[in-house]
Amino acid sequence: MSSQENERPKLAFSPHALRRTVLEMAYAGSTVHIACAFSIIELLAVLYRGHLRYPDNQPDSDNRDYLVLSKGHGVMAQYACMRELGWINDSHITNYFKDGSELKGLSDSRIRGLEVTSGSLGHGFSVGVGLAFGLMRKETDQKVYVIVGDGEINEGPVWEGALFASHHGLGNLMVIVDQNGFQAMGSTDEVISLGDIAAKFDAFGFDVLSIDGHDEEAIDTGIRNLWQTPSSRPKALIAKTVKGKGVSFMEANNRWHYTRLNPDTYAQATGELDQARHLS
Amino acid sequence: MREAFSSSLVRLALADPAVLLLTGDHGYALFDQFRQKCPNQYINAGIAEQNMVGMAAGLARLGFRPFVYGLAAFIPIRVVEQIKLDIAHDGLPVVLLGDGAGFVYSHLGTSHQSTEDIACTRAIPGLEVLSPADRFEMQASMNYAAVARRPVYLRMGKADRGDVHSAPLASFQPGALLKVCDGRRDQPGLIATGSMVSTAMTVAEVFDLNVWSAPMLKPLDADHVCTASLESNGIVTLEEHSVMGGLGSAVSEILSEKNPTKVIRIGVQDRFSLHCGSYDYLLEEHKLTIKHVLQSIASLSESLSA
């Protein structure tokens, strides 16, 4: 889409600001799943900044690209981006989880900007495959990105969808695996070993690229390179990430799948983020 | 009735290119005509029902009109969560077609039999449930499903039990009971659905009873059910489905609130089939044959007149 540059306001999507918003929400609502959101911050920042096309900044434009957050547990990261886009406002952030509030703890398709209702895992991937298949039938150049967690790919429908996507040559579909190495009850190695995720998607007929999921340039280049691969194969970007990335005591500490912030940890976490920004 | 089903599908697909038929590698001969006339609208999604239903949601979001076909044991039972979350939650216009419901696959055992599908689908918010009894109800049901613009489950059970209506339905009002036998008001009235409507009609001849067919189980028109109870002395429901959560439950829910009436639910008790055999054999095992229904009605009739 040549006019793409004019269609989106120039926004920074700075990972620091996005993580700050996540903390603000999580503290306001006393919520869990902070670490699940932190591992996909850079992925979302790069996607919203330079890849996803929303004509006239409309999240429900018929001509948009689709971002399906199949790992609904990371939804606070997406809310943070949506705040920057102006699709939700500050009161959504400060009133998160208050009685009667709209934004839920997991992705809900009734919110403009969120494509699927997820959190029950393995659903968004199939919906994304359906979207990609439908867009291909419509012969548009719109693209579908599906973000799945590495724990999530324990779910069978993911592999059912992978077979279908490959068989039908859905070259407009990119699955992004947030490989943070943890799932609810422990590390993925402890719970159900996934082995070589890249090799698995390759074996299912995807074009695969593995990158550091916190290196924005690597993500950006990786996405471009995958789309430019001259094949009709669906794409898989395997993003090696750190669960809880950005706050030392949350990083690779699965307690932060479940733990809520208190005044001390909130101050510590925001302090660390701010300090890291000054140093960079 | 199966002919009415497949020709309706072809007609709808030819009329609207957005109609897509998705099958989970089932329906071999049933779709010959469809594959021939609308090859581009036919998608065999493989033996992968969960993905197929999720995909249907994605396609519906783009304006396609997916008709998702499988055996009732799989569509809807295997994919109840996909129906709930991916489709019904957003009221997407997807038509779910569950074939072979009840004991159609009498020789194959529990994996292919389906006597809990109505209960499961009725409880999903916004999902409508159709259960046609003959080719005329099937045609009307398919037409309705195509224009409903909301999620619909269409249950297709034993399909060779003959017509219960004498002509195409003049209209199809969602949730209406259709009177198929006019009988005595001092006797129990029968409300049946799907394959059991013809059984109800046979029994009604013996006792001179009112019979209504219920081609739609959700919504079910409360006024129609109350009227049926007012025109009869007690109500008997008949279905090739569990007595829990199906037609019998739906009728009881309405009558207990609006016009307390003695209701006897004839259907499958809280058990799986024990044996293998013909369809009639399985009906016998579950006491759903004409003979058993006659006995139930006779004893009810006796107790009501006592």
Side-chain angles (χ1 to χ4, degrees), chain A residues 66 108-110 115-118 120 123 125-127 129-131 133-135 137-138 157 160-161 164 168, chain B residues 20 40-41 43-45 47-52 54-55 57-59 61-62 64 78 81-82 85-86 89-90:
Chain A
Y66 288 81
D108 185 314
S109 55
R110 287 177 295 195
E115 303 288 2
V116 294
T117 302
S118 58
S120 177
H123 281 258
F125 189 83
S126 295
V127 177
V129 171
L131 288 167
F133 185 54
L135 293 170
R137 292 181 71 94
K138 286 173 175 258
E160 295 180 4
F164 186 96
H168 289 273
Chain B
L20 299 177
N40 295 327
Q41 288 158 274
I43 298 144
N44 187 341
I47 310 165
E49 294 85 1
Q50 299 175 83
N51 180 60
M52 174 167 66
M55 274 180 22
L59 289 165
R61 286 182 178 282
L62 295 174
F64 290 98
R78 191 183 174 111
E81 201 202 28
Q82 274 78 12
L85 208 54
D86 303 342
H89 180 259
D90 297 307

Side-chain angles (χ1 to χ4, degrees), chain B residues 40-287:
Chain B
N40 295 327
Q41 288 158 274
Y42 172 84
I43 298 144
N44 187 341
I47 310 165
E49 294 85 1
Q50 299 175 83
N51 180 60
M52 174 167 66
V53 174
M55 274 180 22
L59 289 165
R61 286 182 178 282
L62 295 174
F64 290 98
R65 304 295 321 281
F67 284 64
V68 182
Y69 174 88
L71 303 192
F74 311 131
I75 305 287
I77 290 304
R78 191 183 174 111
V79 293
V80 165
E81 201 202 28
Q82 274 78 12
I83 295 173
K84 164 191 159 185
L85 208 54
D86 303 342
I87 292 174
H89 180 259
D90 297 307
L92 296 175
V94 176
V95 181
L96 302 151
L97 305 163
D99 197 2
F103 299 117
V104 170
Y105 294 97
S106 59
H107 290 101
L108 299 186
T110 299
S111 78
H112 279 52
Q113 294 168 12
S114 170
T115 55
E116 57 289 289
D117 51 305
I118 299 171
C120 292
T121 49
R122 271 188 73 224
I124 295 177
L127 179 62
E128 300 190 338
V129 182
L130 291 156
S131 169
D134 71 357
R135 60 185 162 138
F136 301 121
E137 288 190 5
M138 173 59 82
Q139 216 160 40
S141 295
M142 288 292 282
N143 290 343
Y144 173 79
V147 299
R149 300 276 160 191
R150 58 179 86 88
V152 173
Y153 168 52
L154 191 156
R155 177 186 217 241
M156 181 154 60
K158 189 69 172 162
D160 58 358
R161 317 215 72 195
D163 289 341
V164 303
H165 302 279
S166 52
L169 307 183
S171 64
F172 189 82
Q173 186 197 329
L177 292 181
L178 308 177
K179 199 166 200 180
V180 289
C181 291
D182 231 337
R184 291 168 53 172
R185 296 174 73 103
D186 61 346
Q187 289 289 318
L190 311 184
I191 303 177
T193 192
S195 61
M196 292 301 282
V197 178
S198 72
T199 304
M201 291 168 75
T202 307
V203 171
E205 267 183 47
V206 177
F207 296 100
D208 191 15
L209 308 178
N210 284 318
V211 180
W212 290 268
S213 175
M216 194 161 192
L217 303 176
K218 184 188 169 192
L220 185 58
D221 190 308
D223 290 341
H224 281 223
V225 174
C226 288
T227 303
S229 71
L230 293 169
E231 289 179 10
S232 313
N233 184 11
I235 290 288
V236 178
T237 61
L238 300 97
E239 60 197 308
E240 199 178 314
H241 179 275
S242 172
V243 290
M244 299 175 197
L247 170 69
S249 299
V251 167
S252 303
E253 287 158 17
I254 292 169
L255 290 181
S256 62
E257 244 180 58
K258 300 195 181 278
N259 185 32
T261 303
K262 172 97 169 169
V263 177
I264 301 291
R265 291 165 298 137
I266 294 180
V268 181
Q269 299 305 309
D270 192 21
R271 60 189 288 271
F272 294 109
S273 302
L274 262 183
H275 300 107
C276 166
S278 66
Y279 175 73
D280 287 335
Y281 177 86
L282 261 275
L283 290 187
E284 177 68 31
E285 184 183 308
H286 290 277
K287 297 189 166 54

Side-chain angles (χ1 to χ4, degrees), chain A residues 16-36:
Chain A
H16 168 266
L18 297 175
R19 284 199 172 84
R20 277 293 240 143
T21 296
V22 170
L23 285 180
E24 199 184 326
M25 287 189 95
Y27 188 53
S30 188
T31 79
V32 297
H33 297 152
I34 301 165
C36 316

